Amino acid sequence: MQIMTKRLILRPWRESDAEVLYALAKDRRISDAAGWPSHKSVEHSLEVIRTVFSLPENYAVCEKEENVPIGAVGIMIGEISPKDLPNTQGEIGYWMGFDHWGKGYTTEAVSALMERGFETLGLEKLWCGYFDGNFASKRVQEKCGFQYHHTNQDEMWELLQEIRTEHISCLTKEEWIKKKITGYRHRL
């Protein structure tokens, strides 16, 4: 399954992407912001591709010209999400390689995945989160129409074994449709 946008291809991860993933995911600027340990080797990245990235609805974000991963985006639906969601809801997660920050790629990828979630997968609500101080991630969620819901203050983040504050936002299918219609009217 591939999703095409104006500038991107969202495609399944391949084992052959392990070296590229390692080059991106060893960068602590990315892993710290996203809340997972930086990758320590190509073998570590390969294991992530075989386990985490092999779950349904996980995509490598690639520029169309190269079709080489520059980031990742995915929807964890229902019980796959650590937020214990019903099967009619999903949690979107994303990250982008540092050299591709500030180009609008993350917003473009998340928007495409939202459309898939609501229109193809029939989800009723999508959730997103960002850690305190990650203003770029907050801005992506705002651009995509997510609304602040609540804050999980000073909770143990198991992947890093540290205390973090996470801000949670959400968007219903009805809100998304309304935003799409309003956006369409503004373009006329």
Side-chain angles (χ1 to χ4, degrees):
M1 168 70 202
Q2 287 190 3
I3 302 169
M4 305 288 272
T5 71
K6 182 178 179 180
R7 300 179 295 167
L8 303 172
I9 298 171
L10 309 184
R11 64 160 173 81
W13 284 89
R14 305 171 185 146
E15 289 189 6
S16 60
D17 294 326
E19 285 187 33
V20 172
L21 176 58
Y22 173 63
L24 296 167
K26 68 181 179 181
D27 188 334
R28 295 224 25 207
R29 292 172 293 192
I30 298 166
S31 59
D32 287 352
W36 37 261
S38 59
H39 291 201
K40 304 299 182 211
S41 65
V42 173
E43 292 75 24
H44 178 191
S45 294
L46 180 59
E47 185 62 24
V48 169
I49 290 170
R50 288 177 174 163
T51 56
V52 178
F53 288 169
S54 68
L55 293 172
E57 301 304 323
N58 276 277
Y59 300 91
V61 177
C62 307
E63 292 173 305
K64 278 187 177 176
E65 300 81 36
E66 303 295 324
N67 198 13
V68 174
I70 60 171
V73 66
I75 305 176
M76 295 175 285
I77 299 171
E79 61 192 31
I80 292 175
S81 167
K83 293 187 175 21
D84 194 30
L85 301 175
N87 287 332
T88 58
Q89 298 181 21
E91 177 185 2
I92 292 185
Y94 52 86
W95 59 267
M96 192 64 56
F98 182 75
D99 291 342
H100 303 283
W101 288 7
K103 297 180 181 181
Y105 288 155
T106 308
T107 301
E108 189 173 328
V110 169
S111 294
L113 207 55
M114 292 167 60
E115 183 171 342
R116 175 159 172 75
F118 287 133
E119 289 190 356
T120 305
L121 302 176
L123 299 177
E124 297 171 2
K125 184 183 275 189
L126 290 172
W127 297 85
C128 260
Y130 65 92
F131 294 112
D132 224 15
N134 188 343
F135 299 109
S137 191
K138 176 184 180 184
R139 187 70 185 122
V140 166
Q141 291 173 37
E142 290 171 347
K143 286 180 184 178
C144 290
F146 284 87
Q147 300 292 313
Y148 172 80
H149 189 271
H150 69 278
T151 295
N152 296 326
Q153 186 77 35
D154 298 330
E155 290 195 344
M156 174 57 77
W157 192 252
E158 296 297 329
L159 286 174
L160 296 176
Q161 289 297 301
E162 65 185 33
I163 302 295
R164 289 211 166 185
T165 295
E166 184 182 22
H167 305 282
I168 307 298
S169 59
C170 65
L171 182 69
T172 65
K173 183 174 184 174
E174 292 77 23
E175 292 164 339
W176 178 75
I177 290 170
K178 184 177 178 182
K179 183 179 181 291
K180 263 181 66 169
I181 291 170
T182 303
Y184 174 74
R185 286 185 187 144
H186 285 5
R187 289 190 302 267
L188 293 178

